[in-house]
Amino acid sequence: MSRLVVKQHSPDGYRAAAALDAYLQENIDHEVLDLVRLRASQLNGCAFCVDMHSLSLERAGVPTRKIYAVGAWREASAFTERERAALALTEQVTFIASGVDDDTWRSAAHVFSKRELSDLILAIGTINLWNRIGVSTHMSPPSV
């Protein structure tokens, strides 16, 4: 059971975060966005978001084996150069204490425009916010 429903107790703040999320959904390739969301959610241990973004990818027609491979994306051949750059950046921005190394930055900047890269950083920051809400309030996915 959830400890707190943030949307209920801080509706203006929740709407602000949801508005940024809506902007990102309109401006980032949906598959890349959900892969980023899924990977950050795996790293942060947010079961609610892992479930949501796995299902979103599945509904979008992404092969199930590719979804399963997100946690081992470096070893899997299913990911494009853009997806690999986005996933590498996701990991380093999520674990930001070590920063984003130059190689990861160059790889991302090589395949994404400055606008796309800016939106991708916003997306990674936003999913990390949602993960922190989900984990701290004990949100859980619906029972199977």
Side-chain angles (χ1 to χ4, degrees):
M1 172 170 272
S2 184
R3 292 176 169 167
L4 176 75
V5 180
V6 173
K7 182 178 182 178
Q8 177 182 347
H9 298 286
S10 185
D12 292 340
Y14 188 91
R15 273 193 299 276
L20 177 55
D21 212 35
Y23 163 83
L24 296 166
Q25 290 178 34
E26 293 295 320
N27 288 283
I28 297 177
D29 173 82
H30 291 191
E31 187 170 338
V32 169
L33 182 58
D34 271 328
L35 289 170
V36 162
R37 289 170 167 170
L38 176 56
R39 185 63 185 133
S41 299
Q42 290 172 333
L43 296 170
N44 289 321
C46 185
F48 182 87
C49 293
V50 166
D51 180 72
M52 180 188 335
H53 300 300
S54 295
L55 290 174
S56 179
L57 286 161
E58 186 178 352
R59 283 191 301 272
V62 174
T64 306
R65 293 181 77 164
K66 183 174 183 176
I67 298 168
Y68 294 155
V70 169
W73 64 269
R74 283 181 181 85
E75 291 79 25
S77 61
F79 300 95
T80 67
E81 184 180 9
R82 285 173 61 89
E83 291 167 345
R84 290 177 177 285
L87 291 166
L89 189 63
T90 298
E91 290 180 356
Q92 290 192 9
V93 172
T94 297
F95 296 134
I96 198 66
S98 300
V100 175
D101 67 52
D102 291 338
D103 288 340
T104 298
W105 186 263
R106 273 192 296 277
S107 293
H110 176 72
V111 295
F112 292 104
S113 70
K114 288 182 180 180
R115 166 72 184 270
E116 290 173 322
L117 193 51
S118 296
D119 286 344
L120 187 56
I121 291 168
L122 288 170
I124 297 165
T126 303
I127 190 57
N128 274 279
L129 169 62
W130 291 123
N131 291 162
R132 279 142 181 82
I133 291 169
V135 171
S136 65
T137 63
H138 289 180
M139 290 175 66
S140 60
S143 297
V144 180

